[in-house]
């Protein structure tokens, strides 16, 4: 019997909370009489849809809206208004100017006042143009006379922006002319290392113009046991570096250039003798690099 009494007590307390929702109606109490009537009409139009909790929440929401500041607005012909008392849509047959409460409801509607200052309809914010903001576009521009500065233009560019970068190339090499020169038809591949310095300037062009200085050293084996060769080449020439382009969503910089050797030497080392060749080398090169 004691357990049954406790259940009844909890049930009756819960029912009391359901019947008497607790809300802070201080904002509602501050409304004027005419605004109170508007609020009651809106809540009354939703009585069948909302329970007591939702009606009490709607009162607080409407009270906040009706106490928010008002601004002048314009609504174009063809827009729809919703009557707050009947909750029915009304199509505008002409443009109207209204006073609009700045605070919107949960659905994004702003409440509109009639000529007596009573909120009777609501409209979507996208259909209302704030006249105060629109009229700002018609304000006269400010006229002023800019200060003229005399500039001394130099005939020489004293601030030419030059950029220098150093590149290290590692790879494998086996030129055909090396095979012919050393009379070697083996499939040995030489190891090459190149040290390069590139200098270029930033101009008002879609590319940069500069120069490249490269020293190349390559070593490889010849067909005979213990036989080898080595090359040393120092070359110089112009280059053009283009603006980055996207390749697989990566910025790639392309380079094209021309180099001619300042000196080029090949040394053929065999068991019986060592031969030195002085060469002349000219090359056209294309390059692509990923910038970080």
């Amino acid at each position: 019997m004691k357990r049954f009494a406790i259940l009844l007590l909890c049930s009756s307390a819960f029912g009391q909370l359901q019947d008497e929702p607790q809300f802070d109606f201080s904002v509602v109490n501050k409304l004027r009489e005419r605004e109170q009537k508007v609020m009651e009409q809106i809540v009354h139009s939703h009585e069948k849809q909302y329970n007591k909790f939702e009606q009490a929440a709607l009162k607080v929401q409407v009270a906040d809206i009706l106490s928010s500041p008002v601004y002048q607005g314009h609504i174009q012909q063809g827009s729809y208004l919703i009557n707050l008392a009947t909750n029915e849509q009304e199509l505008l047959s002409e443009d109207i100017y209204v006073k609009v409460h700045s605070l919107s409801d949960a659905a994004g509607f702003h409440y509109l006042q009639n000529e007596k200052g009573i909120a009777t309809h609501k409209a979507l914010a996208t259909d209302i143009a704030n006249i105060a903001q629109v009229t700002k576009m018609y304000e006269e521009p400010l006229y002023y006379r800019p200060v003229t500065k005399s500039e001394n233009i130099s005939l020489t560019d004293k601030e030419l922006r030059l950029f220098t970068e150093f590149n290290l190339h590692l790879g494998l090499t086996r030129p055909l002319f090396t095979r012919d020169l050393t009379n070697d038809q083996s499939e040995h591949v030489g190891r090459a290392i190149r040290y390069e310095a590139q200098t270029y300037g930033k101009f008002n062009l879609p590319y940069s113009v500069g120069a490249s200085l490269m020293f190349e050293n390559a070593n490889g084996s010849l067909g005979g046991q213990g036989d080898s060769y080595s090359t040393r080449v120092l070359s110089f020439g112009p280059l053009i570096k283009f603006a980055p382009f996207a390749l697989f969503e990566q910025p790639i910089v392309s380079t094209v250039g021309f180099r001619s050797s300042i000196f080029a030497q090949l040394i053929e080392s065999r068991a019986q003798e060592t031969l030195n060749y002085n060469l002349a080398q000219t090359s056209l090169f294309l390059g692509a690099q990923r910038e970080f």
Side-chain angles (χ1 to χ4, degrees):
M1 294 301 290
K2 291 182 179 180
R3 293 181 181 178
F4 182 73
I6 293 173
L7 290 175
L8 285 178
L9 179 61
C10 294
S11 176
S12 62
F14 181 77
Q16 185 178 3
L17 290 175
Q18 286 283 357
D19 295 337
E20 299 178 3
Q22 299 298 320
F23 286 92
D24 182 9
F25 288 99
S26 59
V27 179
V28 179
N29 297 331
K30 293 180 181 179
L31 296 180
R32 293 173 295 182
E33 182 179 354
R34 62 182 181 183
E35 293 168 340
Q36 287 276 6
K37 292 181 180 179
V38 172
M39 182 183 65
E40 294 297 337
Q41 288 180 351
I42 296 173
V43 174
H44 178 72
S45 65
H46 293 83
E47 280 184 354
K48 296 180 180 180
Q49 303 175 18
Y50 296 156
N51 56 33
K52 291 185 178 182
F53 276 107
E54 294 168 334
Q55 291 176 22
L58 181 61
K59 280 186 179 182
V60 177
Q61 180 185 175
V62 175
D64 287 332
I65 295 173
L66 296 178
S67 60
S68 64
V70 177
Y71 67 89
Q72 296 289 335
H74 171 262
I75 304 178
Q76 291 185 345
Q77 173 187 351
S79 301
Y80 282 95
L81 305 183
I82 297 179
N83 192 305
L84 294 176
T86 62
N87 212 26
E88 295 180 352
Q89 288 188 348
E90 299 177 7
L91 179 65
L92 285 180
S93 58
E94 60 182 5
D95 293 4
I96 61 172
Y97 294 90
V98 291
K99 292 182 179 181
V100 187
H101 285 283
S102 57
L103 188 64
S104 64
D105 62 12
F109 286 90
H110 286 264
Y111 286 17
L112 315 178
Q113 290 185 355
N114 59 11
E115 63 277 3
K116 297 180 180 180
I118 302 175
T120 57
H121 294 78
K122 65 180 179 180
L124 284 172
T126 53
D127 294 334
I128 306 172
N130 192 329
I131 296 178
Q133 296 179 356
V134 175
T135 53
K136 288 182 180 179
M137 296 189 296
Y138 297 97
E139 294 180 359
E140 294 186 0
L142 299 176
Y143 294 96
Y144 65 94
R145 181 178 179 182
V147 178
T148 56
K149 294 183 178 180
S150 59
E151 297 183 1
N152 296 325
I153 301 176
S154 176
L155 297 179
T156 59
D157 191 350
K158 298 180 180 180
E159 296 182 359
L160 179 62
R161 294 179 297 167
L162 292 177
F163 297 86
T164 302
E165 64 181 39
F166 297 94
N167 300 320
L168 176 64
H169 306 265
L170 302 175
L172 302 176
T173 180
R174 188 56 165 159
L176 292 177
F177 81 91
T178 305
R179 293 185 179 184
D180 295 339
L181 191 62
T182 58
N183 193 21
D184 176 50
Q185 300 303 319
S186 66
E187 297 299 326
H188 293 117
V189 178
R191 300 170 301 277
I193 181 170
R194 297 173 181 173
Y195 306 93
E196 181 186 23
Q198 291 184 359
T199 300
Y200 53 94
K202 290 286 188 180
F203 303 109
N204 294 326
L205 299 170
Y207 52 83
S208 301
V209 180
S212 171
L213 178 67
M214 176 180 289
F215 176 75
E216 177 183 349
N217 187 11
N219 298 277
S221 300
L222 297 175
Q225 186 175 4
D227 297 341
S228 63
Y229 75 93
S230 63
T231 60
R232 294 182 300 170
V233 180
L234 179 65
S235 58
F236 178 79
L239 66 85
I240 297 177
K241 181 170 289 190
F242 296 92
F245 65 93
L247 180 63
F248 301 110
E249 299 183 355
Q250 300 295 326
I252 303 298
V253 176
S254 57
T255 305
V256 60
F258 167 83
R259 279 195 294 263
S260 181
S261 61
I262 300 175
F263 79 86
Q265 186 180 45
L266 185 146
I267 302 174
E268 181 182 355
S269 300
R270 295 188 179 272
Q272 300 84 5
E273 59 182 347
T274 299
L275 301 175
N276 294 327
Y277 303 94
N278 293 322
L279 309 173
Q281 179 176 311
T282 301
S283 61
L284 176 68
F285 66 91
L286 301 175
Q289 66 188 50
R290 162 74 163 85
E291 287 195 346
F292 293 91

